[in-house]
Amino acid sequence: MASIEFVKVSKYFDRQPVIQDLDLKIEDGTFTVLVGPSGCGKTTLLRMIAGIDPQTSGTVLIDGKDVTRIAPGKRGVAMVFQNYAIYPTMSVRENIEFGLVNNKVPKAERTRLVETIGETVGLADYLDRKPSTLSGGQRQRVALARAMVKNPSVFLMDEPLSNLDAKLRVQMRIELIELHKKLGTTFVYVTHDQVEAMSMADTIVLMNKGVIQQEAPPEVVYRKPSNLFAAQFIGVPPMNIAPLGEDRSTFGFRPENAVLAAEPGSFHFSAKGEIATREMLGSETIYQVKTGDGRSFMVKCPDDIFHVDQEVYLGVPADKLFFFGADGNRIEERDARYLDFLERLRGQSHG
Amino acid sequence: MDKKRIWEGFRPYVLIAPAMAGIFLFVMYPVGYLIYLSLFKYNLLNKDKSRFVGLDNFTQILGRGDFYKALWNTTIYTAGVVVLTMLLSLLFAVWLNKKGRFNSIVQAGIFTPHVVSIVSISLVWLWLMEPNQGLLNYVLKLVGLPPSDWLQSSKTALMSIIIVSVWQAIGYYTLIIVAALQSISPSIYEAAALDNASKFKVFYKITLPMISPQLFFILIIMTIGSFKVFDTVQVMTGGGPNNATTTLVYYIYGFRTTNIGYASATGVLLMAVIGLLTFVYFRLLAKKVHYQ
């Protein structure tokens, strides 16, 4: 078990800054998900913790200890790679055992550990097979077993589920949550998939262009996004955003919080529009509504009662509206500008 | 409809026919004819005076010391060239695989000997190895080492030829190994680093097995190639001094006009030796080679 801390960490690739003066603390025992679009620096952060791509400047602390000069194999961390990075020339057993052999664990102990872990991840019957004979999901388990067997204080995972098919991914997600609960160690998980982040994380660290946008539990990121980027990154479909007046400030609402009706209702924000597209997903239906002034909003409805080209009234209650200042940051309810913005929006409403 | 079906059946054979014709004409027929010739006391001037002698040529070969001498020389030469070239190429390749400023230049430079004709190379080395005026002895003296007789002593002649062959071959095989090394995913090395593997262990347990198919290929290609060595011997020593560098093919070449049947029989034996070696390689090593 260990906490991880970045202090004024910068990373340059060929003199190009990827991360500059970043501070971050990952609490001991949490499941932290680093999420963001590709190229945002999340994998870079992970690799710094592992020590396979050390920071250019600044300090990385594991359990309060500066690990800058400590080799990757001696940091007490284990990593699951996106492509699994299984040693193709070794059998499953040798793959799982390799780290133990290098750490001079006695043979009897090794065998016991490998068999136990093999049982845990469901690979007991495959221990003497070569990785090339395994399916994608089984390889994923080998990678996981290889990390688990070392009993690390920190688990690093670099998009471990991205090569699996959708069904298996959902199953592995649940297994990882259970694994974290069972082991209680610090998990740091990198993904670009906000669904993975929302479903697994204790804490989400949302990044963009090498800068942390928000660091909070999933429900907070969802309910109180700190800025436009966070608001639009989390949630499917992303939050609807539209301009509010001339000063580049904006307002937004989540597709699932808008109400569609055939008759005008009494909502704080309402607009008349036409249904442009309809995506029936089973439990819900996603409509794209185009308003008369050329804006389009996504609306997620539990029932499927409208059809394309139908005229509808879109309404959002006041407490489901978000406002963002000209700098892109969200304006909180207690902010003096909040009521002003609410008023401004009422003035805009039409239909 | 029927015609079409017949054509469907024939088409693959028609398509490979040109290639097969070449293989038959230039490989299968010569091999067959070689075996045929090896059973005759062949008269080049008058074919009618050729006489079928059965396995006489073979019994004669196996009873002669100079054949064993040539076989021994070839074996030493092959072992020397294969072992040295593989070790040095591997060493160079591992070094060149690191990204350095000079590495592309070195890589091009090391490959150059492969482009140059082996005859030119042999001639240049012949001068370099000249005991009295040659550069090599000059350098040896300069650093205070005793000079060598190089090609002019039966003790050092074979070694000298091995040096030239290795020098010529290294660049090409280094290139093959570099390509193999670069195909290994870096994340495997990163995983090994996280598994606390030492440098030696990484090389022995990961790098070597990963490039084993290429190494195995080089081993077989080089063994076959070295057993057939001729040009360096022909240009540099002519098999001398005192048959110290007579290799099998050079031995065969010696009988090219005087005794075709005998030369053919030696050729058949050479083929058998190479075939046997390749078979042994596959039996011993194929299990250790890892194919993706």
Side-chain angles (χ1 to χ4, degrees), chain B residues 62 93 98 122 157 224 282:
Chain B
L62 296 173
K98 293 183 190 130
S122 304
I224 294 172
F282 267 95

Side-chain angles (χ1 to χ4, degrees), chain B:
Chain B
M1 198 61 203
D2 242 13
K3 252 187 185 171
K4 198 178 172 191
R5 199 173 304 153
I6 292 170
W7 168 237
E8 293 271 302
F10 267 111
R11 190 166 55 187
Y13 299 100
V14 174
L15 288 176
I16 62 164
M20 282 313 289
I23 289 176
F24 181 79
L25 210 61
F26 298 110
V27 180
M28 278 150 61
Y29 171 71
V31 167
Y33 199 61
L34 179 82
I35 296 169
Y36 170 80
L37 282 179
S38 71
L39 304 172
F40 281 81
K41 183 161 179 59
Y42 200 82
N43 192 318
L44 269 180
L45 290 177
N46 188 348
K47 202 181 165 192
D48 295 333
K49 285 197 175 167
S50 297
R51 192 158 49 82
F52 181 78
V53 292
L55 296 175
D56 269 13
N57 284 326
F58 292 95
T59 31
Q60 204 189 338
I61 293 167
L62 296 173
R64 277 174 67 158
D66 54 356
F67 169 75
Y68 290 107
K69 173 79 179 157
L71 185 62
W72 175 246
N73 284 342
T74 313
T75 310
I76 296 289
Y77 171 85
T78 302
V81 170
V82 170
V83 170
L84 282 177
T85 310
M86 284 191 70
L87 279 180
L88 291 174
S89 315
L90 194 58
L91 212 70
F92 277 120
V94 169
W95 174 52
L96 285 175
N97 193 32
K98 293 183 190 130
K99 286 188 184 71
R101 200 177 305 171
F102 302 109
N103 279 3
S104 55
I105 303 169
V106 175
Q107 213 164 320
I110 208 173
F111 187 73
T112 313
H114 186 73
V115 184
V116 180
S117 146
I118 186 78
V119 175
S120 317
I121 288 172
S122 304
L123 281 173
V124 171
W125 277 92
L126 200 60
W127 295 334
L128 291 174
M129 287 174 163
E130 210 287 318
N132 299 314
Q133 260 93 66
L135 182 75
L136 291 190
N137 271 356
Y138 175 75
V139 172
L140 282 181
K141 271 185 226 162
L142 215 61
V143 296
L145 289 169
S148 167
D149 283 331
W150 299 112
L151 296 161
Q152 300 193 3
S153 153
S154 56
K155 281 188 190 130
T156 52
L158 194 58
M159 176 200 74
S160 309
I161 289 186
I162 290 174
I163 290 174
V164 176
S165 301
V166 170
W167 180 83
Q168 197 247 353
I170 272 182
Y172 180 69
Y173 293 110
T174 301
L175 212 67
I176 292 183
I177 300 176
V178 166
L181 287 175
Q182 282 172 356
S183 70
I184 303 175
S185 153
S187 65
I188 288 185
Y189 287 119
E190 289 164 3
L194 279 160
D195 269 344
N196 201 17
S198 63
K199 269 193 175 154
F200 174 75
K201 193 115 191 209
V202 169
F203 182 73
Y204 182 70
K205 291 289 284 185
I206 293 168
T207 309
L208 271 189
M210 292 289 280
I211 60 169
S212 57
Q214 285 86 352
L215 292 179
F216 189 57
F217 168 76
I218 293 176
L219 177 70
I220 288 181
I221 287 292
M222 277 193 68
T223 306
I224 294 172
S226 303
F227 252 91
K228 297 188 299 187
V229 62
F230 173 76
D231 19 30
T232 21
V233 175
Q234 161 76 356
V235 176
M236 293 179 76
T237 62
N242 191 22
N243 283 343
T245 56
T246 303
T247 56
L248 272 179
V249 176
Y250 193 77
Y251 181 75
I252 295 168
Y253 178 72
F255 295 102
R256 69 193 178 281
T257 48
T258 51
N259 198 340
I260 286 286
Y262 187 83
S264 304
T266 321
V268 171
L269 283 179
L270 173 65
M271 202 165 69
V273 169
I274 291 176
L276 189 75
L277 260 179
T278 311
F279 177 75
V280 169
Y281 277 157
F282 267 95
R283 278 315 276 276
L284 287 182
L285 296 173
K287 276 213 174 124
K288 293 199 195 305
V289 177
H290 168 82
Y291 295 101
Q292 293 278 359

Side-chain angles (χ1 to χ4, degrees), chain A residues 47 73-74 77 79 81 83 85 87-89 98-99 101-103 146 150, chain B residues 185 187-188 190-197 201 205-206 209-210 290 292:
Chain A
R47 292 165 68 86
K74 300 205 155 73
V77 303
M79 183 158 164
F81 290 81
N83 63 1
Y87 313 122
T89 57
F98 193 58
V101 175
N102 294 328
N103 289 332
R146 190 172 65 181
K150 290 190 283 187
Chain B
S185 153
S187 65
I188 288 185
E190 289 164 3
L194 279 160
D195 269 344
N196 201 17
K201 193 115 191 209
K205 291 289 284 185
I206 293 168
M210 292 289 280
H290 168 82
Q292 293 278 359

